[in-house]
Amino acid sequence: MKAPIRVAVTGAAGQIGYSLLFRIASGEMLGKDQPVILQLLELPMEKAQAALKGVMMELDDCAFPLLAGMVGTDDAEVAFKDADIALLVGARPRGPGMERKDLLLENAKIFTAQGAALNKVASRDVKVLVVGNPANTNAYIAMKSAPDLPAKNFTAMLRLDHNRALSQLAAKAGVAVGDIEKLVVWGNHSPTMYPDYRFATANGESLKDKVNDAAWNADTFIPTVGKRGAAIIEARGLSSAASAANAAIDHIHDWVLGSNGKWVTMGVPSDGSYGIPEGVIYGVPVTTKNGEYTRVEGLEIDDFSRAAMDKTLAELEEERAGVAHLL
Ligand code: NAI
């Protein structure tokens, strides 16, 4: 039996947590032969801790053979102790009348503290995925607050956007989702993101040529993917949780176990390529192997794409400027 991997999850009693933890414990994220120890963080409030206790009781009741241990806590340093993987899901939601700026600042407090706790107690190789919104900027804040950890190990979740784009494109092109390669969603996890299928293929065939519909790209595809979160809230009365949890599983699964040559989108600290300033956490195409991601380099950026990529970058730069004084 392999040694267990320690997986920390924040916001563990929330909606996404409820869809996520059972799949991690059943082996869907790290493999059916890989034991895990779950280290779960929730707010100290009685209600949150009681809900966490309930979720842990249910995890017990599943009798997962791969669940080698479980800790529930309101202390980030307990949750992140020796963590190999940290899924930062818990975040402050936007309250009534709350300005975007206030939301950023409230979350900045959470993610500076959690970054510092990771810096202090997590494994030196911890792989961090930030799901809680604003995900890219929260990941940036956590990264800046953890100077002793490799910056490249701080990532933000664009995988839900990537999966949404895959599904829309598959339907339009009449191909199977699993056959699509070389799709990317550039930028921020927000409606400014730029889903880009110019390079996409299915069984070797160019999907841009197959679809051949610039109006669909600009007027349907890009806005549908960008506004999908809002559409789910409108339809369900609740935000996307199962699909977000699924995307988090995909992100970590591929990062740890490899994407088999396929492009996947990860929000990662920029190395300066594609005109994205160094350090900005920006969705880019990567391939993953042996626990490392590698950017897909040298893609041609046409004028339409440049404008779309700059727009989502401008929003990220604005967010970064809004929290700069805290870092
Ligand atoms: P939720 O409100 O159901 O659950 C969040 C949980 O986090 C709550 O139980 C809360 O008590 C806890 N929490 C809040 N602050 C915390 C802290 N400082 N430490 C530990 N726990 C804390 O929300 P849900 O639906 O689970 O979503 C979580 C986050 O994920 C939200 O910020 C949401 O906007 C974001 N999200 C991101 C997506 C992405 O693609 N990047 C997709 C969908 C959601």
Side-chain angles (χ1 to χ4, degrees), residues 6-322:
R6 293 181 178 272
V7 182
V9 181
T10 75
Q15 271 208 98
I16 294 176
Y18 199 68
S19 289
L20 181 62
L21 299 176
F22 300 86
R23 295 184 61 188
I24 299 174
S26 74
E28 284 183 63
M29 186 168 83
L30 295 169
K32 297 282 181 190
D33 60 346
Q34 177 58 62
V36 292
I37 297 174
L38 288 175
Q39 306 188 161
L40 308 175
L41 184 70
E42 255 301 339
L43 290 172
M45 277 77 99
E46 208 174 304
K47 207 172 155 200
Q49 287 297 315
L52 177 58
K53 194 172 166 213
V55 174
M56 292 172 73
M57 287 160 69
E58 284 202 75
L59 281 160
D60 269 336
D61 294 350
C62 293
F64 287 119
L66 292 172
L67 186 55
M70 201 163 32
V71 179
T73 178
D74 62 3
D75 181 345
E77 289 189 17
V78 173
F80 297 154
K81 180 83 181 124
D82 299 326
D84 301 296
I85 288 164
L87 297 168
L88 308 188
V89 179
R92 176 76 193 267
R94 184 179 261 184
M98 199 171 173
E99 301 264 337
R100 205 176 124 85
K101 189 167 132 265
D102 301 326
L103 182 76
L104 260 177
L105 292 176
E106 285 303 318
N107 278 295
K109 284 186 215 157
I110 296 173
F111 287 85
T112 35
Q114 293 189 353
L118 285 165
N119 195 54
K120 193 168 167 193
V121 300
S123 156
R124 300 299 85 183
D125 297 320
V126 63
K127 287 179 162 58
V128 182
L129 169 62
V130 177
V131 175
N133 280 319
N136 297 51
T137 296
N138 288 341
Y140 176 79
I141 293 166
M143 173 183 84
K144 286 288 173 192
S145 307
D148 302 330
L149 297 174
K152 68 176 172 58
N153 284 17
F154 285 80
T155 68
M157 192 164 94
L158 270 291
R159 186 61 178 262
L160 179 54
D161 312 300
H162 181 100
N163 288 346
R164 286 167 171 167
L166 274 177
S167 158
Q168 296 296 322
L169 180 58
K172 174 71 179 177
V175 299
V177 171
D179 287 340
I180 299 181
E181 310 246 6
K182 300 189 175 175
L183 181 72
V184 56
V185 181
W186 302 96
N188 199 5
H189 169 68
S190 93
T192 65
M193 73 184 79
Y194 171 42
D196 180 2
Y197 73 102
R198 291 175 303 136
F199 312 104
T201 60
N203 302 314
E205 185 184 10
S206 158
L207 293 182
K208 182 166 178 262
D209 292 348
K210 183 161 196 205
V211 169
N212 192 21
D213 188 346
W216 175 77
N217 183 41
D219 304 335
T220 304
F221 179 61
I222 295 174
T224 301
V225 176
K227 294 179 192 158
R228 188 69 164 180
I232 303 278
I233 292 177
E234 197 179 315
R236 206 171 84 90
L238 288 167
S239 61
S240 27
S243 52
N246 179 67
I249 299 264
D250 284 350
H251 180 116
I252 296 291
H253 174 276
D254 289 352
W255 192 359
V256 174
L257 298 171
S259 67
N260 292 322
K262 270 204 170 188
W263 295 12
V264 291
T265 303
M266 288 171 72
V268 300
S270 177
D271 62 353
S273 55
Y274 295 117
I276 307 152
E278 210 172 325
V280 174
I281 305 247
Y282 194 99
V284 293
V286 300
T287 55
T288 51
K289 200 176 175 183
N290 300 330
E292 299 288 340
Y293 61 81
T294 308
R295 260 175 215 77
V296 177
E297 288 174 351
L299 297 173
E300 190 203 321
I301 305 299
D302 60 17
D303 290 347
F304 180 89
S305 303
R306 186 75 265 160
M309 288 168 70
D310 285 350
K311 184 175 163 202
T312 189
L313 174 62
E315 184 182 51
L316 279 169
E317 290 282 44
E318 196 187 308
E319 290 180 12
R320 185 155 80 148

